Amino acid sequence: MSALVYLVSRKLKNRVKEILHRPTELIVLLVVLAFAVFVIWTGNMSRESEALRDFGELEAILLGVYTVVFVLIAKNGFVNGAAMFSMPDVNLLFDAPFQPKTMLSYGLFSQMGHALSLGIVLVYQYSWLRSAYDVTLLKLLVIVIGYAMTVFLAQMIAMLIYSLTSGSDKKCRIAKGIFYGLLLIFVAFFAKDVLTTEGEMLPRVVAAANKPLMHFLPVAGFLRFGVAGALSQHWSAAFIALGCFVVCVAVYYVLVSLLRIDFYEDVLKAAEISFSAITARKEGKAQELAPRNVKVGKTGITHGEGAAVIGVKHSIENRRSRFLLFDLMSLIFAAATIIFALIIKDAVGAFAFSVYMMVMSVGSGRWAKELTLPYVYLIPEPSFKKLLYTIKEQLPALAAQSVLNFVLLPFLIDCDWLTCIAMMTARFSFGLLFIGVNLLLSRLLGGNGNNKAIIVMVYFLFCLLASIPAIAAGVAVHFIYLGFASIAYSFFAIFAVNTLLALLLLFLCRNILETSQNNNR
Amino acid sequence: MLQVNHVTKKYGKLTAVEDVGFQIDNGEIAVLLGPNGAGKSTIIKCISGLLRFDGEILIDGHANKSLDAKRALGYVPEMPAVYDMLTVGEHLEFIVRAYRMQDDGTAERLLERFELLDKKDKLGKELSKGMQQKLSICCALVHRPSVVIFDEPMVGLDPHAIKQLKEVFMELRANGATVLISTHMIDSVENYWDKAYIMQAGKFVAERAASDVSEESLESLFFRLTESGEKA
């Protein structure tokens, strides 16, 4: 048996054994699978009752998703290369007598395997995809394969970019110009089509995304063309896309041979970065999402004493991380909310979507990073005071992101300004509530939770439970004043209840910096 | 002075530290020795107030979670604790301000001593691991604590920094501070300890004072106990 086949099969076998020997991991896996089955079952149940939406919308969504995935991965080629190998791969396999091409195939296919395993996320979209676009399980599998192929080619291109440009700023600038210039051309054509046609916004966006020109968008364009072809049984389109995929891979291998690209060095940096990120995660440290070149600017803390200096420090750190009120993720979430609102044309649905997207992002603020270092526990100041100054930095960002998520809705869908403002306040209050839930979980588990998946599940459950009072209040207000008041009053009720509950949680967790376990192992 | 009385720390069913007790007086250096996984870092984190525990820990007579105890304590963690987005100088300014101290030049002296003065405007993320460790040490000392705890302080340090750190240990002792050093590099502490504690499987298996007359070196005592599993 080839050593690489042995390695892959052993890793898989040991992973399965590990899951079977760890009850918590097994429970998580079973819950994940049960939830997937539930989503598939409910998807099949709800299908009969609803009218199907325009299939073109799904084609446009696929183009958007594949393009975002492709750009986010491929652009790493300008910084680190492709993260397709782990540190043990680099240390053990690169020194072993394997052909570089064999290693390259191993890396690319391993990465494709990861992409397919991440495709489970797409399974959770089955219910609405089924009811809206009649996407069967087989069709969903085609979408997931398209996604995995996008990841595969994006990794390959990231590595090629890095191989050809690393070590030369000029080459890097030229490559960046070509990469983003090409992207910009397609965005410009798309924007022109949307802005110069008339009618409702959604059909204009869909029509622009599905123009034949978009099939030529590198990777994402032809893969979307192929997947959409397979979904609508236009097999010629699927075969053309498959052909393009094979040609891309073949061209890449030829380039690696002709240019004698020594990719070992090119993947090293990405492997080291990924290894240090994994190590930091294992040690319980939150990674700083910092730009590559940090502009230090004015130095010195200059003001603040005692607990207050924590807040001053956060503002300095945010300035250098170029995080003023928005990060890339919050912008993507806001864009997704607006697109979702356009598709469903319902303010309440858009609100629910926006809050759902916020559940995970709230726990990644600077305040959460602060709790992973010892200083906040060691500083001789009252625990509650330190806690307040630690979470203070999150509030302006929460407010600004709430505004950004909904400010365009009155222009795009049937949503009056009062409702829009009420939605902003209600979303802000959910942000406060989820911070409170994070703290409560930290207080209850106190660093004892070793299984991150279990913690995430418990966190989701707690968020769900904590949301019930506000949602109940919103529903109650809606029914009591049915016909007399706008839905806006329900959102104001949600804001009031959430804020009170968040303050209660904060008060209950006031001693968290005395009792929490900073188990930074 | 540092007093640890009947401290037990459990992670679920696993007992990491079991009924540990010791006292280090002012002007004393104690070393905590033990193989990997013996519980050294756990007891250190309990003392620093980072972990919950059963028992009692007093720092200069105050319960370790009290503000008075926190003011008196300096802690160098096992992993360098550095903010990526603060400069070296800002780290020390942050600590000085957080502890409501006046900057009397201690920060600059520490930076000079550990050869970090020329890196004063470098960000935490730009430092090598060894430099991060030096900065961590400076942060623990800048507020002039009376009880200082070092968890594997020499890991990653260059020879000059190790020499400086050893001198710092001596100066702290001479100034009446209480010093506890956890390490498994026995030869690095051989010359200056006043008390030594050897841990294994969460328990103290031996205690020795420098004044005790014994022909057996600390190193051979350590190996005898940890390799055979016997208790002194």
Side-chain angles (χ1 to χ4, degrees):
Chain A
M1 192 196 293
S2 140
L4 289 177
V5 175
Y6 174 79
L7 179 66
V8 173
S9 62
R10 269 287 148 181
K11 281 203 291 192
L12 271 174
K13 195 175 164 188
N14 288 343
R15 180 76 189 119
V16 172
K17 271 162 87 176
E18 189 189 19
I19 290 171
L20 292 176
H21 289 144
R22 286 188 179 176
T24 48
E25 291 213 10
L26 192 60
I27 291 167
V28 172
L29 184 69
L30 290 176
V31 170
V32 166
L33 290 177
F35 192 51
V37 171
F38 175 74
V39 169
I40 291 167
W41 179 67
T42 51
N44 290 337
M45 293 283 286
S46 61
R47 178 176 164 252
E48 304 300 330
S49 55
E50 294 173 38
L52 290 179
R53 296 184 65 90
D54 174 18
F55 182 74
E57 288 175 11
L58 180 62
E59 290 186 62
I61 291 169
L62 289 180
L63 183 74
V65 171
Y66 290 172
T67 305
V68 168
V69 169
F70 175 73
V71 172
L72 287 180
I73 295 174
K75 78 178 177 62
N76 289 332
F78 300 114
V79 191
N80 312 319
M84 63 174 82
F85 295 99
S86 66
M87 267 326 266
D89 287 338
V90 169
N91 290 332
L92 299 174
L93 299 181
F94 284 15
D95 291 337
F98 291 113
Q99 286 287 344
K101 277 183 205 162
T102 313
M103 284 309 305
L104 188 58
S105 306
Y106 164 77
L108 286 168
F109 280 99
S110 306
Q111 206 52 43
M112 196 166 177
H114 283 303
L116 276 171
S117 61
L118 286 175
I120 186 88
V121 175
L122 294 174
V123 173
Y124 293 127
Q125 314 305 317
Y126 177 75
S127 183
W128 73 272
L129 284 173
R130 175 79 169 168
S131 60
Y133 305 108
D134 194 27
V135 172
T136 59
L137 264 182
L138 198 62
K139 287 180 178 176
L140 187 65
L141 184 65
V142 172
I143 293 172
V144 172
I145 290 172
Y147 161 77
M149 288 163 91
T150 309
V151 173
F152 185 93
L153 290 183
Q155 287 281 8
M156 220 170 70
I157 288 172
M159 211 171 92
L160 188 65
I161 292 172
Y162 192 79
S163 299
L164 297 175
T165 64
S166 64
S168 164
D169 283 346
K170 192 182 167 192
K171 283 182 185 170
C172 190
R173 274 198 303 276
I174 293 170
K176 261 188 187 173
I178 295 170
F179 184 85
Y180 289 113
L182 212 55
L183 193 64
L184 203 65
I185 290 171
F186 282 94
V187 171
F189 274 110
F190 172 78
K192 185 194 131 260
D193 280 344
V194 172
L195 297 173
T196 54
T197 49
E198 288 186 353
E200 279 195 51
M201 180 59 88
L202 183 61
R204 278 153 57 196
V205 170
V206 170
N210 293 341
K211 283 249 166 126
L213 175 75
M214 290 298 161
H215 302 334
F216 296 94
L217 186 67
V219 179
F222 71 73
L223 284 177
R224 187 281 303 262
F225 175 63
V227 168
L231 294 181
S232 54
Q233 296 183 335
H234 292 123
W235 299 112
S236 55
F239 282 117
I240 289 170
L242 194 61
C244 291
F245 177 81
V246 172
V247 168
C248 283
V249 177
V251 166
Y252 179 69
Y253 274 89
V254 169
L255 277 177
V256 168
S257 296
L258 288 181
L259 300 175
R260 296 179 181 279
I261 291 172
D262 179 4
F263 69 87
Y264 282 11
E265 184 185 321
D266 300 332
V267 296
L268 186 59
K269 194 173 172 190
E272 283 173 347
I273 288 171
S274 144
F275 178 71
S276 63
I278 292 167
T279 311
R281 250 200 324 270
K282 279 184 186 166
E283 289 167 0
K285 285 183 192 167
Q287 286 270 293
E288 180 76 52
L289 292 172
R292 192 182 176 195
N293 298 315
V294 179
K295 196 177 164 206
V296 175
K298 194 176 149 208
T299 57
I301 293 192
T302 68
H303 63 288
E305 278 211 326
V309 78
I310 297 170
V312 181
K313 180 179 76 72
H314 284 165
S315 59
I316 294 170
E317 290 172 302
N318 283 343
R319 166 167 58 83
R320 291 187 183 143
S321 303
R322 292 179 210 160
F323 175 83
L324 295 173
L325 294 169
F326 309 103
D327 57 0
L328 180 64
M329 226 45 200
S330 66
L331 293 175
I332 290 174
F333 285 172
T337 301
I338 292 165
I339 292 167
F340 191 75
L342 274 172
I343 292 173
I344 63 166
K345 295 191 177 73
D346 175 39
V348 178
F351 175 79
F353 180 79
S354 174
V355 170
Y356 172 69
M357 302 288 272
M358 185 174 56
V359 173
M360 285 312 288
S361 62
V362 161
S364 61
R366 188 163 296 285
W367 65 275
K369 291 186 187 80
E370 191 65 62
L371 300 186
T372 66
L373 284 172
Y375 299 111
V376 73
Y377 302 91
L378 297 172
I379 290 169
E381 290 283 309
S383 174
F384 194 35
K385 202 172 168 188
K386 285 191 285 188
L387 186 63
L388 290 177
Y389 277 108
T390 301
I391 60 173
K392 189 182 138 199
E393 61 95 24
Q394 186 82 355
L395 304 185
L398 260 182
Q401 287 162 16
S402 298
V403 170
L404 184 70
N405 268 254
F406 304 124
V407 72
L408 291 178
L409 296 199
F411 302 105
L412 301 174
I413 60 170
D414 182 22
C415 172
D416 59 77
W417 277 105
L418 183 66
T419 305
C420 177
I421 292 166
M423 282 164 68
M424 290 170 187
T425 58
R427 187 188 183 276
F428 176 77
S429 72
F430 268 111
L432 294 180
L433 185 71
F434 296 153
I435 290 177
V437 170
N438 266 287
L439 293 174
L440 184 68
L441 212 59
S442 188
R443 179 168 169 73
L444 292 178
L445 293 178
N448 282 330
N450 288 326
N451 192 309
K452 296 283 183 275
I454 289 275
I455 293 174
V456 169
M457 277 172 57
V458 174
Y459 171 63
F460 267 109
L461 185 68
F462 272 44
C463 285
L464 194 69
L465 292 175
S467 304
I468 290 173
I471 294 169
V475 172
V477 167
H478 181 64
F479 280 110
I480 291 167
Y481 296 104
L482 197 63
F484 299 102
S486 135
I487 190 79
Y489 292 94
S490 293
F491 284 119
F492 284 129
I494 287 173
F495 167 75
V497 173
N498 269 347
T499 306
L500 286 174
L501 194 54
L503 290 174
L504 177 67
L505 288 176
L506 197 61
F507 180 73
L508 290 175
C509 298
R510 64 193 180 283
N511 294 327
I512 191 174
L513 297 178
E514 285 172 21
T515 55
S516 182
Q517 309 244 88
N518 181 261
N519 191 8
N520 201 358
R521 287 183 291 180
Chain B
M1 187 169 69
L2 172 66
Q3 292 163 279
V4 175
N5 301 322
H6 302 291
V7 167
T8 296
K9 171 66 195 170
K10 290 182 178 178
Y11 292 108
K13 287 179 187 166
L14 176 79
T15 304
V17 170
E18 191 175 353
D19 196 25
V20 163
F22 59 95
Q23 178 173 323
I24 311 168
D25 294 323
N26 294 339
E28 275 189 343
I29 296 177
V31 291
L32 195 53
L33 306 170
N36 292 332
K40 303 186 300 290
S41 289
T42 303
I43 188 73
I44 292 248
K45 283 178 182 168
C46 289
I47 295 167
S48 311
L50 301 179
L51 295 180
R52 284 194 285 264
F53 57 88
D54 295 321
E56 182 187 48
I57 296 175
L58 300 174
I59 293 170
D60 279 352
H62 307 289
N64 74 325
K65 304 252 182 190
S66 68
L67 298 187
D68 286 330
K70 285 177 189 292
R71 263 181 221 112
L73 181 75
Y75 165 59
V76 179
E78 188 181 5
M79 311 279 179
V82 169
Y83 293 105
D84 286 348
M85 288 294 138
L86 286 197
T87 64
V88 168
E90 284 167 349
H91 274 83
L92 300 191
E93 192 184 346
F94 169 64
I95 299 293
V96 167
R97 286 179 174 277
Y99 281 69
R100 298 181 189 276
M101 307 279 289
Q102 293 299 314
D103 183 13
D104 59 353
T106 307
E108 189 137 329
R109 279 196 296 278
L110 280 168
L111 291 180
E112 193 167 8
R113 186 164 200 176
F114 284 96
E115 296 183 315
L116 286 172
L117 200 54
D118 58 333
K119 314 273 185 310
K120 200 176 171 188
D121 291 330
K122 278 216 175 266
L123 292 173
K125 78 185 201 93
E126 294 169 342
L127 302 178
S128 68
K129 199 162 182 188
M131 284 187 210
Q132 289 189 350
Q133 180 70 347
K134 290 182 194 176
L135 179 55
S136 242
I137 292 168
C138 293
C139 286
L141 298 174
V142 72
H143 62 282
R144 301 184 293 283
S146 55
V147 176
V148 196
I149 300 169
F150 297 87
D151 194 355
E152 302 290 356
M154 317 236 183
V155 175
L157 293 186
D158 57 39
H160 173 81
I162 290 177
K163 182 172 160 256
Q164 286 300 321
L165 187 59
K166 286 180 178 176
E167 284 178 21
V168 166
F169 293 153
M170 304 298 189
E171 284 167 25
L172 285 167
R173 174 164 63 185
N175 293 332
T178 305
V179 180
L180 174 63
I181 306 159
S182 158
T183 185
H184 45 221
M185 295 158 74
I186 305 170
D187 51 348
S188 68
V189 293
E190 191 72 63
N191 303 325
Y192 51 79
W193 54 272
D194 299 302
K195 283 177 179 169
Y197 302 98
I198 299 177
M199 277 189 94
Q200 191 168 22
K203 293 176 187 166
F204 276 13
V205 290
E207 296 180 25
R208 181 182 275 193
S211 53
D212 292 349
V213 180
S214 171
E215 288 188 359
E216 190 178 29
S217 71
L218 189 58
E219 188 170 25
S220 64
L221 173 68
F222 175 83
F223 286 124
R224 181 166 59 82
L225 295 175
T226 55
E227 288 175 355
S228 68
E230 66 178 285
K231 197 168 178 177

